[in-house]
Amino acid sequence: MRGTIVCGVTDTDEGRQALATAVELTERLGLRLVLAHVAEGIGPLNGDADGDESVTMKGGREGAARLLARLADDYAVADRAERRVAVGDAPSLLGQIAAEEAADLIVVGARTRGRLRRGLESRLADDLGTETPVPVLIAPPRIQPRKTMAINGARR
């Protein structure tokens, strides 16, 4: 039986790192990949996504679909990754998508906490902990090499 990874995708460095991590995991383990993006906004009040939707909600949904298509192309998974979009509260809708897809794992991005605090920070991962029983993997940010200064003060 083939497992499923749902990747919470955003158009940020953190979201792209989550996507890179999810792609690598699915390729190595032979798992199914579902890319999911939840656009900010107010979802349908009656819970029926096929019913009447506002212009704003339709724009958010269509923008999310374009984002997922572009990122799937960028990461060469357009032919094998399924895509899900939603408009509303990201933690609850991502948890709902994971449940509908029978996901074994949700992958989300994170940022470092800052210079003085160690560790990673992902508000979405924290919120998902209360929304779904599916395990959440926090993809660490890509470590960029430090820029060093040459003796004469020029950057190397």
Side-chain angles (χ1 to χ4, degrees):
M1 183 168 154
R2 206 166 103 165
T4 300
I5 292 179
V6 170
C7 181
V9 179
T10 58
D11 196 12
T12 62
D13 289 339
E14 295 86 12
R16 289 174 180 273
Q17 188 59 34
L19 179 53
T21 300
V23 167
E24 184 177 346
L25 283 172
T26 57
E27 287 174 353
R28 284 184 179 199
L29 302 174
L31 302 175
R32 181 174 154 249
L33 177 61
V34 177
L35 306 180
H37 178 75
V38 180
E40 291 183 22
I42 299 172
L45 298 177
N46 62 0
D48 181 18
D50 297 328
D52 296 330
E53 68 181 352
S54 69
V55 173
T56 305
M57 191 167 115
K58 182 178 180 182
R61 186 177 45 75
E62 290 173 350
R66 284 191 303 271
L67 171 68
L68 288 182
R70 181 171 43 92
L71 290 175
D73 283 341
D74 289 351
Y75 287 82
V77 294
D79 59 333
R80 67 179 182 88
E82 298 174 37
R83 293 171 247 175
R84 299 280 307 268
V85 298
V87 177
D89 180 56
S92 62
L93 290 172
L94 194 55
Q96 179 181 340
I97 290 169
E100 291 170 358
E101 297 292 341
D104 298 298
L105 183 68
I106 300 172
V107 179
V108 297
R111 68 185 79 198
T112 56
R113 289 186 184 209
R115 291 186 82 118
L116 301 176
R117 295 171 32 191
R118 293 181 180 240
L120 300 175
E121 179 177 58
S122 175
R123 189 169 293 143
L124 178 58
D126 292 342
D127 293 344
L128 278 169
T130 61
E131 295 291 336
T132 181
V134 178
V136 178
L137 173 70
I138 302 171
R142 182 178 30 217
I143 297 175
Q144 298 176 0
R146 291 185 178 185
K147 293 184 179 179
T148 58
M149 299 296 268
I151 295 173
N152 65 1
R155 290 185 180 213
R156 288 196 227 183

